[in-house]
Amino acid sequence: MRTVLESYIRTMTAAVLGLCTAVLISPSSVYAQLLTFSKQELTDYTAQSTFERLPDGRPKVPEDLLERARELSSEEVWAVLEEKGFHNQYADGFQILHPEKPMVGRAFTVQFMPERPDVKGVASAKAKERGLGPLTNQTAIDMLQPGDALIVDLFGKKVNGTIVGDNLFYYVMKATHSGGLVVDGSIRDLNGISEIAMPAYFKAVDPTPIGNVMLTGINIPVRIGGVTVMPGDLVVGDREGVYFVPPQLVKDVLDRADEIHIHDEWTKKKFDEMKYKSREIYSTPADPALQQEYKEYLKKRLEEIRKQRSPK
Amino acid sequence: MRTVLESYIRTMTAAVLGLCTAVLISPSSVYAQLLTFSKQELTDYTAQSTFERLPDGRPKVPEDLLERARELSSEEVWAVLEEKGFHNQYADGFQILHPEKPMVGRAFTVQFMPERPDVKGVASAKAKERGLGPLTNQTAIDMLQPGDALIVDLFGKKVNGTIVGDNLFYYVMKATHSGGLVVDGSIRDLNGISEIAMPAYFKAVDPTPIGNVMLTGINIPVRIGGVTVMPGDLVVGDREGVYFVPPQLVKDVLDRADEIHIHDEWTKKKFDEMKYKSREIYSTPADPALQQEYKEYLKKRLEEIRKQRSPK
Amino acid sequence: MRTVLESYIRTMTAAVLGLCTAVLISPSSVYAQLLTFSKQELTDYTAQSTFERLPDGRPKVPEDLLERARELSSEEVWAVLEEKGFHNQYADGFQILHPEKPMVGRAFTVQFMPERPDVKGVASAKAKERGLGPLTNQTAIDMLQPGDALIVDLFGKKVNGTIVGDNLFYYVMKATHSGGLVVDGSIRDLNGISEIAMPAYFKAVDPTPIGNVMLTGINIPVRIGGVTVMPGDLVVGDREGVYFVPPQLVKDVLDRADEIHIHDEWTKKKFDEMKYKSREIYSTPADPALQQEYKEYLKKRLEEIRKQRSPK
Amino acid sequence: MRTVLESYIRTMTAAVLGLCTAVLISPSSVYAQLLTFSKQELTDYTAQSTFERLPDGRPKVPEDLLERARELSSEEVWAVLEEKGFHNQYADGFQILHPEKPMVGRAFTVQFMPERPDVKGVASAKAKERGLGPLTNQTAIDMLQPGDALIVDLFGKKVNGTIVGDNLFYYVMKATHSGGLVVDGSIRDLNGISEIAMPAYFKAVDPTPIGNVMLTGINIPVRIGGVTVMPGDLVVGDREGVYFVPPQLVKDVLDRADEIHIHDEWTKKKFDEMKYKSREIYSTPADPALQQEYKEYLKKRLEEIRKQRSPK
Amino acid sequence: MRTVLESYIRTMTAAVLGLCTAVLISPSSVYAQLLTFSKQELTDYTAQSTFERLPDGRPKVPEDLLERARELSSEEVWAVLEEKGFHNQYADGFQILHPEKPMVGRAFTVQFMPERPDVKGVASAKAKERGLGPLTNQTAIDMLQPGDALIVDLFGKKVNGTIVGDNLFYYVMKATHSGGLVVDGSIRDLNGISEIAMPAYFKAVDPTPIGNVMLTGINIPVRIGGVTVMPGDLVVGDREGVYFVPPQLVKDVLDRADEIHIHDEWTKKKFDEMKYKSREIYSTPADPALQQEYKEYLKKRLEEIRKQRSPK
Amino acid sequence: MRTVLESYIRTMTAAVLGLCTAVLISPSSVYAQLLTFSKQELTDYTAQSTFERLPDGRPKVPEDLLERARELSSEEVWAVLEEKGFHNQYADGFQILHPEKPMVGRAFTVQFMPERPDVKGVASAKAKERGLGPLTNQTAIDMLQPGDALIVDLFGKKVNGTIVGDNLFYYVMKATHSGGLVVDGSIRDLNGISEIAMPAYFKAVDPTPIGNVMLTGINIPVRIGGVTVMPGDLVVGDREGVYFVPPQLVKDVLDRADEIHIHDEWTKKKFDEMKYKSREIYSTPADPALQQEYKEYLKKRLEEIRKQRSPK
């Protein structure tokens, strides 16, 4: 009988501890944020990713893929995502800092909502109970990891919707190793910020500091324009806008991009010969000889690229 | 030793069951929605309300206060909320159906986000596991209670952002006893809807059905314009826009409104006498005799109103 | 040999006359408009319509179908058009005169472009050569037939983009038997116009008369918002916007609308019983008994409708 | 020598008193407003008006002309003003209260500017020196006369840009005998206001009271949209927008309007006969017989109208 | 009698062949586009141009004038066009690629309209009948000549309104010798495009390819903003926007621009002397001595410019 | 008796002359502008400034403070102004020429209003009476002093709202020593202007010259966006927008800015050490040792700065 009892106790204890742990390790519960999205939920909802995970549960797109992603443009991402049925992963309409610099990072998401004293009061009390200070933009910023891109839903707020000024922008640059910033809201101190070499996408600039808002979620799903961004998405920004690539599609996107780069190279080379109408070459040559020529070119260049990439 | 053990077992069991119950009774867990806000959290964050609660945990502003709220206008709500430090409870910019009809209801909130096949797939699998169908607008609509106002965050989406057409609008009217609808998105079939006597506030009208979105939360905090709406807020709509009144402030708002109504009555009566400049009467008369006159009028009218309201 | 010669002459003569006729009977050539779309072209491009044609070549949606179309709403048209692959037939964003009045008519299209003295000069010379006056809005208006709806591309122009004031609006009402007006531009004299019982859809109102534009096409394909409108399209306007239905789809749209009307009737009847959740009834009942009930209801009502419509 | 001295004294005294008087009778100096426009300046700049003047110096368009102006529409005003070289007298883009009710009044102008504590402090000190209270919206409102229309430049401000709520709107209605309100800004308490029978044109509605602004001018020239409004202008509002008619043109506008009304009458009568294309009648008949017919009709109707108007 | 018959046959044959030729040589008939504008019509409507013509009928502004036009700015074009009564030749509101590079080219116009399956089906059938493929953006692009600027009406479409990506942009650059691109629509692949040295004016950027549209006209009159662009117009783009100059006015515009350049030179030189108020020099000096000085300067500089331009 | 009389005469004479002088030295009376703001009024309303004054009465922020102001950014100005209760001193939404160049100057204000022939006629007659020409943009421009920034209210007008083209822009640059331009309106000849090294903030660019407006005030209070600009305000423009600093606050703003610069320096230095979370350093370190470190750093750097600034 004892074993039964013991085993029962063990099971129950484990269950309770498991639940408690699950609760405790999720950033939401630690920081008393309004909307919760536990580490378990994050793991469940991003289960298609086969990459390692960051301690906070986000899929960790590997370094070498981040590196390759610096060559991506919006069109190349579009091709694969469209094919896979992801029609809502692109956001634009931003002012872009350093448009000539590609932005590549792992999505670290933050959500703000308009302030209500009653809700904020409860959140503060909950935080205090756990010996914590109130949630602020710096709470989130201080959790950033190298390679992260900070993705902020400030619901397009301009006045008092400034996620950072130049000091915190500098900190984000240091902490993420220039990962980047996307804010559906504003920044302040553009003069200072424009001297710091991290890509940033923002809706407006304003001299006021952030205010009249509550931080309601860290690393929860957030909406940026027409995109549902999941923590850990690969964030790719170019001169046009920002693509949020689900981790499980990153490899496909990058491989396709290699082919598109080579196709562009070849197409322009043929156009340089000045012998063809555009339709004879692009998007696919009708002439079988040209098709063959391209096929060989593609094969050769892909091999070169792979060789170049393989570690020496 | 037994008692210790037994008591331990009881405690653990209770803890586990408690946790499970907490999870099970919240609509979020039942319906496998992306963002969770448990019944416990809802209760915590609306703890200042002393009203009874609906089975789903929302504060239940009583019927008689709902009735009195039909006389409210935006300005009257503004006065009390501003004083109490609630600066972000008003949303406008809507097209209004039946602007001559006041809207009064208890907020039943629904949130949608742009569709992602990966997230939707996981949510569907989770729902299936629990023997449920996928979350749709009708899932939420079928949970509505008499007195509810349906508050929907569809992030301003027009095409495929239509929360209801005339059939479901008719159902909502029946289910809520004409409580009302506020959607940061669109509706379809305005011809049919305009014949149904329920107030509605929407951003646009479109012939397409709802699509390309996921229902991500029921009775969670949602953002409508610059307002964080909590489930159970008193929703008051007039010709201008919509106020979301925290339940704990409803009584104050209504009492103040009585005084404002009487003040307006008296002010207009004095203006009708054509003897005064506006500043001599409004907002407060400088003349002590007039002040006294008003004080007595106010007292008399308040008594009349209370008598009228008291159950016979 | 003679017969060969004679037959040759006959053929050539016929060819020349045919060409000349083709040219002469098209309104464009008669009126020296800038962009030409001959009667033959109109016939070719609307060849799928099996209806009779108006003298100017437009398909003539029959009177009884126009009559039935008065019951249509945007959603009902959407259903069939979407299914048939017509995704671009709806325009909205208009101010609507008499929104409670349905608009139904055959599209009579007119296009204006910004004035250029050189082009206008040539057009006037060409018109003069043929003994005609210059093209104006009245040239087009005077060609309107009963049952027409006047569809005008004035490229959203407000100032001097007023297709009619109250006098010509009155004339259009008389000439078309209240067919209607859709203008991507403006009208003038809203005070006078609002007393005239013809539906109208316009982008703006302005006190200036039309000016600084050239009439460049009558009954040519025109663009209204995101729609390519073909002369002879069935124009259906409701409280939301305007649908342009290709004539070959009119019958399908109307038949489907009958079913949708009946489906709405039945759905609301069932909701009135207050026994069902919305999903149990709408859009399709899961319960086979309810399905059967609906099937019978549909059959019965369709018969009633047909009987009612058949000429006595 | 005495006379010289005496005459000198008299002249000087008169000069000083004249200057002082000029200063004292102008509302600006009385009320310490920021921008001054003395009664003399007002008189100079509106010198073309031959009408009597109000005590504050504004031209007083006579009652009987105000009465006739109730029949005016924007198009009719446009015709004369355009001809006289006044291209900038029309403003639109307003929300209109009671669009079916014409607005007619004499412009009483008020200007606000964004608040600055330093400027406001000086203005208050100046006012106090003269034993006056600070300038507020009620200062201006309490100066309104029967027949006035209150014209307010609040630079399009919505939040805290509400010139009146329902109490003061009621007062304005009483004071001006329903003259009207035009505000490039907002109003509050639309519910209450919509029950008061005075025409009003406003850019927005908001629940906040007026604030964060300074009243900087009363009866000075103000800008409303693209119009420079002079105090005393005839204000005419219809379903489209508002015309500000310089007093010296009022008679011409009204006489021309009589002819346009008759022309419209006749044109529609001819269209009712269904014998003519629009161009045969409108805008001018080509047929001399029709021209004659119209000429006689015009003469007869003008006489009838004049007879009807002449005092019995 | 024979001669009569023969001459008849000859005449008829010539007539038929003439008509056929007319039809065949126009790009519209060759490509089965919806809206036709034959080579003859193009020639008629641009008859004021005395320049040679391109094989497709467009006036060919000569190379040396194109070269001189590289110095033009919008203001200089404005002066002559306004004077000649052309008030609608300027379009702006574009995003500009390489704003520091002037754009100069001969307008090659292309028009798209929203897709309709019925119309597209007929067009495809017609094309097939003539042994041609369907009309696409590449059909038009492959007709471009050196010196052309591609002018595209895509009715402001952003998503699927991308006339070219970087491959076809590269082709257009090669084919037109960097003539330029103006699209009332969008482009894709801005990253790639921004490295190609051809000026471009576009409304938006989007990652999607062109779609859901039909090419409806090549080298027909098109509308870009408030301008009616005729094929063969001189297109001049600077940092502000784009001017479309009718060929017959090009010489006047360029000669006037020479004078304006010299006037600017002289004016700034005088300002550099720091002796004058602006009104003493600009726009015309009042002092006869200065007038004389300027006259001589103008004469001298004009001669220098002419000398510099004359072929050695 | 004589002395009485004499003294009376003297007093009266002085009064009259004083009044006349007051009138004569104000630019408004000299130039017959519509809205007057005398030198006395200007002095009264800017009495808090203890700086010297320019001959036209404007406070003259000293050269050395102008110099220091070149380092200011919007955020730094915001801090002091907010604290002092000035919430409405910032305007943005401009296109910025040379955003990398700070703009610093003393506000010289100009106001335009829509043209009215009657008002313009009176103004011209008044000007003629005094032997002056009509008021134009050049009247104001020719009054500019070194160190001025030209601030123009053209009510957002684009077409014909161009305050200067390249010639007058060049003159303004020369006259103000590159002080700067802010126009709520447009400029023309951006190509020419972009080569001139003076900062400028404008709403639009257009090829038309200024027209259809009247200059109604020089150095009167004007509204730019949400700011009441007083003549003599310190104008500070950066990459974000423009601050108008009341002269009496300039010293405080600059001193605070020194501290903010040092605080930024120190903060970034600490972040560079990579040992701290952002909250440990920013905005204020919690650790007393760090606080002390900062205090000493601040003191040292302030001394260095002062030494550097003190004249050798």
Side-chain angles (χ1 to χ4, degrees), chain B residues 284-295:
Chain B
T284 305
D287 177 357
L290 283 169
Q291 282 178 18
Q292 187 58 28
E293 181 188 323
Y294 172 63
K295 220 149 83 182

PDB file of all heavy atoms in Angstrom, chain B residues 284-295:
ATOM      1  N   THR B 284     -21.554  78.296 -13.532  1.00  0.00           N
ATOM      2  CA  THR B 284     -22.063  78.516 -12.180  1.00  0.00           C
ATOM      3  C   THR B 284     -22.462  79.977 -12.041  1.00  0.00           C
ATOM      4  O   THR B 284     -21.690  80.850 -12.448  1.00  0.00           O
ATOM      5  CB  THR B 284     -20.947  78.220 -11.149  1.00  0.00           C
ATOM      6  OG1 THR B 284     -20.469  76.903 -11.383  1.00  0.00           O
ATOM      7  CG2 THR B 284     -21.466  78.323  -9.728  1.00  0.00           C
ATOM      8  N   PRO B 285     -23.631  80.266 -11.503  1.00  0.00           N
ATOM      9  CA  PRO B 285     -24.022  81.665 -11.351  1.00  0.00           C
ATOM     10  C   PRO B 285     -23.150  82.350 -10.292  1.00  0.00           C
ATOM     11  O   PRO B 285     -22.819  81.737  -9.268  1.00  0.00           O
ATOM     12  CB  PRO B 285     -25.482  81.604 -10.903  1.00  0.00           C
ATOM     13  CG  PRO B 285     -25.758  80.201 -10.543  1.00  0.00           C
ATOM     14  CD  PRO B 285     -24.677  79.338 -11.062  1.00  0.00           C
ATOM     15  N   ALA B 286     -22.791  83.590 -10.555  1.00  0.00           N
ATOM     16  CA  ALA B 286     -21.996  84.351  -9.593  1.00  0.00           C
ATOM     17  C   ALA B 286     -22.905  84.896  -8.484  1.00  0.00           C
ATOM     18  O   ALA B 286     -22.519  84.964  -7.320  1.00  0.00           O
ATOM     19  CB  ALA B 286     -21.292  85.514 -10.303  1.00  0.00           C
ATOM     20  N   ASP B 287     -24.102  85.249  -8.849  1.00  0.00           N
ATOM     21  CA  ASP B 287     -25.064  85.849  -7.907  1.00  0.00           C
ATOM     22  C   ASP B 287     -25.496  84.817  -6.858  1.00  0.00           C
ATOM     23  O   ASP B 287     -26.061  83.767  -7.205  1.00  0.00           O
ATOM     24  CB  ASP B 287     -26.266  86.331  -8.737  1.00  0.00           C
ATOM     25  CG  ASP B 287     -27.375  86.900  -7.886  1.00  0.00           C
ATOM     26  OD1 ASP B 287     -27.266  86.875  -6.640  1.00  0.00           O
ATOM     27  OD2 ASP B 287     -28.356  87.368  -8.480  1.00  0.00           O
ATOM     28  N   PRO B 288     -25.278  85.112  -5.564  1.00  0.00           N
ATOM     29  CA  PRO B 288     -25.626  84.141  -4.517  1.00  0.00           C
ATOM     30  C   PRO B 288     -27.111  83.763  -4.534  1.00  0.00           C
ATOM     31  O   PRO B 288     -27.461  82.622  -4.220  1.00  0.00           O
ATOM     32  CB  PRO B 288     -25.261  84.875  -3.218  1.00  0.00           C
ATOM     33  CG  PRO B 288     -24.296  85.929  -3.620  1.00  0.00           C
ATOM     34  CD  PRO B 288     -24.645  86.318  -5.014  1.00  0.00           C
ATOM     35  N   ALA B 289     -27.969  84.709  -4.897  1.00  0.00           N
ATOM     36  CA  ALA B 289     -29.402  84.390  -4.942  1.00  0.00           C
ATOM     37  C   ALA B 289     -29.679  83.317  -5.993  1.00  0.00           C
ATOM     38  O   ALA B 289     -30.439  82.364  -5.767  1.00  0.00           O
ATOM     39  CB  ALA B 289     -30.200  85.657  -5.269  1.00  0.00           C
ATOM     40  N   LEU B 290     -29.014  83.483  -7.144  1.00  0.00           N
ATOM     41  CA  LEU B 290     -29.183  82.483  -8.199  1.00  0.00           C
ATOM     42  C   LEU B 290     -28.588  81.142  -7.765  1.00  0.00           C
ATOM     43  O   LEU B 290     -29.134  80.066  -8.054  1.00  0.00           O
ATOM     44  CB  LEU B 290     -28.525  82.960  -9.495  1.00  0.00           C
ATOM     45  CG  LEU B 290     -29.306  84.017 -10.286  1.00  0.00           C
ATOM     46  CD1 LEU B 290     -28.450  84.608 -11.389  1.00  0.00           C
ATOM     47  CD2 LEU B 290     -30.585  83.392 -10.879  1.00  0.00           C
ATOM     48  N   GLN B 291     -27.464  81.237  -7.093  1.00  0.00           N
ATOM     49  CA  GLN B 291     -26.849  80.000  -6.587  1.00  0.00           C
ATOM     50  C   GLN B 291     -27.821  79.262  -5.676  1.00  0.00           C
ATOM     51  O   GLN B 291     -28.000  78.046  -5.770  1.00  0.00           O
ATOM     52  CB  GLN B 291     -25.571  80.320  -5.812  1.00  0.00           C
ATOM     53  CG  GLN B 291     -24.370  80.626  -6.698  1.00  0.00           C
ATOM     54  CD  GLN B 291     -23.136  80.981  -5.870  1.00  0.00           C
ATOM     55  OE1 GLN B 291     -23.084  80.673  -4.675  1.00  0.00           O
ATOM     56  NE2 GLN B 291     -22.167  81.620  -6.501  1.00  0.00           N
ATOM     57  N   GLN B 292     -28.462  80.031  -4.813  1.00  0.00           N
ATOM     58  CA  GLN B 292     -29.422  79.436  -3.879  1.00  0.00           C
ATOM     59  C   GLN B 292     -30.605  78.835  -4.645  1.00  0.00           C
ATOM     60  O   GLN B 292     -31.023  77.704  -4.372  1.00  0.00           O
ATOM     61  CB  GLN B 292     -29.903  80.525  -2.901  1.00  0.00           C
ATOM     62  CG  GLN B 292     -30.781  79.996  -1.779  1.00  0.00           C
ATOM     63  CD  GLN B 292     -30.081  78.920  -0.958  1.00  0.00           C
ATOM     64  OE1 GLN B 292     -28.856  78.896  -0.855  1.00  0.00           O
ATOM     65  NE2 GLN B 292     -30.861  77.982  -0.409  1.00  0.00           N
ATOM     66  N   GLU B 293     -31.081  79.609  -5.600  1.00  0.00           N
ATOM     67  CA  GLU B 293     -32.213  79.134  -6.410  1.00  0.00           C
ATOM     68  C   GLU B 293     -31.874  77.776  -7.038  1.00  0.00           C
ATOM     69  O   GLU B 293     -32.666  76.847  -7.024  1.00  0.00           O
ATOM     70  CB  GLU B 293     -32.526  80.156  -7.505  1.00  0.00           C
ATOM     71  CG  GLU B 293     -33.706  79.740  -8.383  1.00  0.00           C
ATOM     72  CD  GLU B 293     -33.907  80.643  -9.597  1.00  0.00           C
ATOM     73  OE1 GLU B 293     -33.710  81.872  -9.484  1.00  0.00           O
ATOM     74  OE2 GLU B 293     -34.239  80.105 -10.671  1.00  0.00           O
ATOM     75  N   TYR B 294     -30.643  77.724  -7.592  1.00  0.00           N
ATOM     76  CA  TYR B 294     -30.248  76.469  -8.248  1.00  0.00           C
ATOM     77  C   TYR B 294     -30.167  75.332  -7.240  1.00  0.00           C
ATOM     78  O   TYR B 294     -30.640  74.217  -7.504  1.00  0.00           O
ATOM     79  CB  TYR B 294     -28.912  76.619  -8.969  1.00  0.00           C
ATOM     80  CG  TYR B 294     -28.431  75.291  -9.456  1.00  0.00           C
ATOM     81  CD1 TYR B 294     -29.176  74.573 -10.405  1.00  0.00           C
ATOM     82  CD2 TYR B 294     -27.279  74.697  -8.940  1.00  0.00           C
ATOM     83  CE1 TYR B 294     -28.770  73.317 -10.829  1.00  0.00           C
ATOM     84  CE2 TYR B 294     -26.876  73.443  -9.350  1.00  0.00           C
ATOM     85  CZ  TYR B 294     -27.627  72.752 -10.299  1.00  0.00           C
ATOM     86  OH  TYR B 294     -27.256  71.506 -10.703  1.00  0.00           O
ATOM     87  N   LYS B 295     -29.563  75.625  -6.082  1.00  0.00           N
ATOM     88  CA  LYS B 295     -29.382  74.595  -5.066  1.00  0.00           C
ATOM     89  C   LYS B 295     -30.727  73.982  -4.693  1.00  0.00           C
ATOM     90  O   LYS B 295     -30.870  72.752  -4.565  1.00  0.00           O
ATOM     91  CB  LYS B 295     -28.707  75.204  -3.836  1.00  0.00           C
ATOM     92  CG  LYS B 295     -27.682  74.296  -3.224  1.00  0.00           C
ATOM     93  CD  LYS B 295     -26.535  75.007  -2.556  1.00  0.00           C
ATOM     94  CE  LYS B 295     -26.828  75.464  -1.158  1.00  0.00           C
ATOM     95  NZ  LYS B 295     -25.631  76.193  -0.616  1.00  0.00           N
TER      96      LYS B 295
END
